Structures are given as structure tokens and as C-alpha cells.
Amino acid sequence: MSFVPTDPLGLDELLGPEDLAVRDTVRTWAADRVLPNIAQWYESGELPAIRELARELGAIGALGMSLEGYGCAGASAVQYGLACLELEAADSGIRSLVSVQGSLAMYAIWKYGSEEQKQRWLPGMAAGELIGCFGLTEPDVGSDPAAMRTHAKRDGTDWILNGRKMWITNGSVAAVAVVWAQTDDGIRGFAVPTDTPGFSAPEIKHKWSLRASVTSELVMDDVRLPADAVLPLVTGLKGPLGCLSHARYGIIWGSMGAARASFEAALDYARTREQFGKPIGGFQLTQAKLADMALELHKGILLAHHLGRRMDAGTLRPEQISFGKLNNVREAIEICRTARTILGANGISLEYPVMRHATNLESVLTYEGTVEMHQLVLGKALTGLDAFR
């Protein structure tokens, strides 16, 4: 068999026909609907077609795709990962839309909600008719969610919710917000209709990363909720952390999509850009860069495959998710930076995807757990000693 530059390890051989069909469907959708517009959306700092895109993503089964029932596709973890890779190869903001919808908001309701909550929200969310968001991070509380200040107090059979959440993807376009709050019983989750009086979600502007993504603050001032708004099947941090594990898994794959797009842009440029009378891909230093980029890219994809198989087998541990997220995002950023050097000055142009992916990945590096948090998770697992406090 011949060597394939885009698949040097033959990783496609790990995929079955259904896996390939999922990957190709999402890749084609992203090529048709995102890539022709993404540079303009990124430059303008908006995602004007978000509701239309959500419906289209629902139509191809990409929303909550690894969940069972309620209109969800029931896909494997590997298939969901492949979808995340293809979406983030287009833009991290599009993958974030899907991750927050499916792995955070929908997963929280599917895993911890009542049957009534599932029937009310999940079919519309799977179809992309309803958009959801996930409210955990706060303005003064990021990596220490146990210190959250948002609180819910009982008032008869109702709950009164007060607080602020920050850096919330999909917030200002969501129909439902899954909000985590302190209560007298511990941390609880609430499915909050966003048209409830006292709830608002002003959009955050002036971002230099994830510009083609809707990012908001959630503001809750005496939001009165009925008793059945609370997610009944979980109390404590294991609820939001369980959701975050699913979202982090998608990032392991997605970050490799951003890296792949940047690597392929650099490889194509190196083959065609001439300097000193020949393509720059013919010089030793450029070839060394391309070789190193290919190594880290395909090692990262292989790691994602391995963790996906473990998730499908029910044996994936949170520490292993931290392993994957820490490695793959960090290496993806380095691949983008190296790709930028191959493109030279053109690397900062929106004509090419490299700088857009590089700046997006700076956000991906931080959200769903910073580098330091994942290092401490692994450090604790390796030593048996807790260094978080």
C-alpha cells in the first residue's frame, strides 16, 4: 500500500462503515455551510446563522448524538468524536455550539433530569429547534466550582434563583439554561426556561478568540422556578463534573481537527510557495517542521481513538480524559504556531485558517478545565497526593 500523507498511520483502518459515514456527513456539511463563511463571521465577531445552523446540525443527527432516545442518534463515542474533529476543523466555535448543546445541556437533562424534563426539552434540542446552554463558571469562580455564589432558596414549593454565570456559550440564544447553584441541600442543577422573569443573558463582545461563537453572561435576579425545575437525580459537584467529562472528551477530538486544518494548510502552502527557486517544502527545515507536526497530530488522533473505544466500553476514567485534553490541546496549539511559521506573513491572514485556529485554541486550552487543573488531576492520580489545596 502507498503512503498517504493525510493518514500516515493508516488510522482510517480503525473505522467501520458507519464511522466513516458519520465522519463524511459532518465533513461535507462543514465544507458546505461553514468554511465558505467562517472567515467573515470570525472577522465580524458574530455567528448570525446560529439558529439555522443548529437546525441543520439537528437534521444530520449531530446534537446529543451519543445519547439514546428522545430523537437523539444514539451514536458511539468514537462517532461523536469524529464529528467533533470535523466540526473543529472548520472552527472551534461551531464545535463548541455542538458540545455545549449535546455534552453539557442535553446530557445534564438526559442523565439527571426527570422524565417530564426529558420529554419537554430533549426532542426539540436534538432537532436544533431549541438551543441550550450550561451555567457553571462564574465571574469570580472558575476552576473551583464548589465556591460558586449562585444560590437557590426555597419559597414554599418554588425556588428563587439568584446569581451570575460567565463565559457561557449559546447563552443569549438559548431556550433553556442548565444552571448549577448552591442550595441548603448542596449543589443542584436547574433547567431554567430563559423567558422566565428575572433571567437575562447579555452577550459578551470584544473577544479575540472564539469570535464566531455566541458567548454570554447569565444574570439571575430573583428568578422564580417551580419545584419541577430542579434536576432530581443528582446533588453535589458530581453532577456538573460528570457533564464536563463528556464535554472534555469531545475536545480531545475537536482540538485535533483544528490542528489538522492548520497542518494541511501548511503542507499545501509548502508544496506551492517558492523561495530561492523551489518550493519551500523542499528545504530541510520546513520538512522537519512538517514531520514533527504530523507526528503530534496523528499521535493525538490515535490517543482520541483509544479513549473513544474506552468510553464505548464503559472503562474510560476522568483521569484519562484529563490526559487526553491536556495533551491534545497543548499539541494542537503548537502545531498551529508551527504552521504559522511555514506560512510566514500569510499565516496571520484570514485567507488561511491557521491564526484563527490558534487564537480559538487559546480559549479551548482554558475552558472545560485549565492546563493546571488537568496537571493536578494527573498528578494526584500518579502520586496519590492531593495538591489542589
Side-chain angles (χ1 to χ4, degrees):
M1 296 180 64
S2 61
F3 182 83
V4 181
T6 57
D7 186 19
L9 294 179
L11 296 182
D12 276 5
E13 296 172 16
L14 299 175
L15 303 176
E18 291 186 6
D19 303 329
L20 293 170
V22 168
R23 184 190 70 181
D24 293 346
T25 295
V26 178
R27 181 181 294 181
T28 298
W29 178 85
D32 291 343
R33 294 293 290 118
V34 179
L35 291 181
N37 304 298
I38 190 61
Q40 179 182 345
W41 293 340
Y42 188 90
E43 188 167 24
S44 63
E46 59 184 357
L47 189 60
I50 183 169
R51 297 185 189 280
E52 180 181 354
L53 294 175
R55 288 190 291 270
E56 293 175 9
L57 287 162
I60 64 172
L63 301 179
M65 65 182 296
S66 60
L67 305 181
E68 296 281 351
Y70 309 98
C72 301
S76 70
V78 168
Q79 290 166 0
Y80 172 59
L82 290 166
C84 287
L85 188 150
E86 296 301 330
L87 292 168
E88 194 145 356
D91 191 77
S92 299
I94 304 300
R95 198 267 310 146
S96 293
L97 164 63
V98 170
S99 290
V100 170
Q101 178 86 344
S103 292
L104 292 178
M106 291 179 68
Y107 180 80
I109 295 170
W110 182 84
K111 180 73 172 178
Y112 305 121
S114 67
E115 184 61 28
E116 291 75 15
Q117 289 168 334
K118 295 174 188 179
Q119 294 288 352
R120 178 180 181 182
W121 297 114
L122 292 181
M125 296 175 79
E129 297 296 333
L130 302 176
I131 295 176
C133 67
F134 186 86
L136 180 62
T137 300
E138 298 189 357
D140 299 315
V141 180
S143 296
D144 184 13
M148 71 174 68
R149 298 176 183 176
T150 298
H151 61 272
K153 300 289 186 181
R154 293 184 185 272
D155 184 30
T157 60
D158 290 347
W159 293 88
I160 306 298
L161 182 64
N162 282 280
R164 302 288 187 275
K165 301 293 182 179
M166 196 68 173
W167 304 114
I168 308 303
T169 298
N170 301 345
S172 60
V173 295
V176 60
V178 174
V179 176
W180 300 92
Q182 298 278 9
T183 75
D184 291 340
D185 303 321
I187 292 173
R188 303 296 302 270
F190 296 83
V192 183
T194 58
D195 59 359
T196 305
F199 182 96
S200 61
E203 189 171 353
I204 297 171
K205 299 289 189 180
H206 310 298
K207 300 178 297 178
W208 286 117
S209 180
L210 290 180
R211 290 177 57 79
S213 177
V214 174
T215 311
S216 309
E217 180 183 9
L218 305 185
V219 181
M220 291 146 289
D221 290 326
D222 291 330
V223 175
R224 180 175 290 274
L225 299 169
D228 61 7
V230 70
L231 303 180
L233 300 183
V234 70
T235 301
L237 276 176
K238 66 180 180 180
L241 293 182
C243 300
L244 288 176
S245 287
H246 277 258
R248 289 164 177 166
Y249 167 76
I251 289 171
I252 295 169
W253 286 89
S255 57
M256 289 296 97
R260 188 192 72 191
S262 298
F263 169 74
E264 290 180 350
L267 180 61
D268 181 68
Y269 191 85
R271 288 167 169 164
T272 57
R273 173 73 158 104
E274 291 194 0
Q275 195 79 306
F276 302 108
K278 67 177 182 179
I280 61 173
F283 291 96
Q284 292 180 0
L285 288 177
T286 301
Q287 289 193 0
K289 290 179 181 180
L290 291 168
D292 287 345
M293 293 161 69
L295 283 174
E296 297 307 325
L297 169 62
H298 294 282
K299 285 193 296 185
I301 296 174
L302 184 59
L303 172 59
H305 272 279
H306 172 65
L307 297 180
R309 298 300 183 198
R310 291 187 64 83
M311 179 173 275
D312 280 326
T315 58
L316 183 62
R317 292 189 53 82
E319 298 91 342
Q320 294 165 342
I321 294 176
S322 287
F323 192 113
K325 203 261 188 183
L326 175 62
N327 180 82
N328 281 15
V329 180
R330 191 159 60 184
E331 294 305 324
I333 289 177
E334 188 58 35
I335 288 169
C336 289
R337 289 172 177 165
T338 304
R340 209 289 303 161
T341 69
I342 292 175
L343 270 70
N346 285 325
I348 70 168
S349 169
L350 277 176
E351 181 181 351
Y352 300 92
V354 174
M355 185 58 75
R356 175 169 54 80
H357 284 305
T359 56
N360 282 339
L361 285 170
E362 292 294 339
S363 291
V364 179
L365 188 71
T366 295
Y367 69 32
E368 319 292 358
T370 65
V371 166
E372 294 81 4
M373 291 300 103
H374 291 299
Q375 287 173 322
L376 291 178
V377 167
L378 290 174
K380 180 180 178 180
L382 292 169
T383 66
L385 302 173
D386 188 347
F388 280 92
R389 299 181 185 276

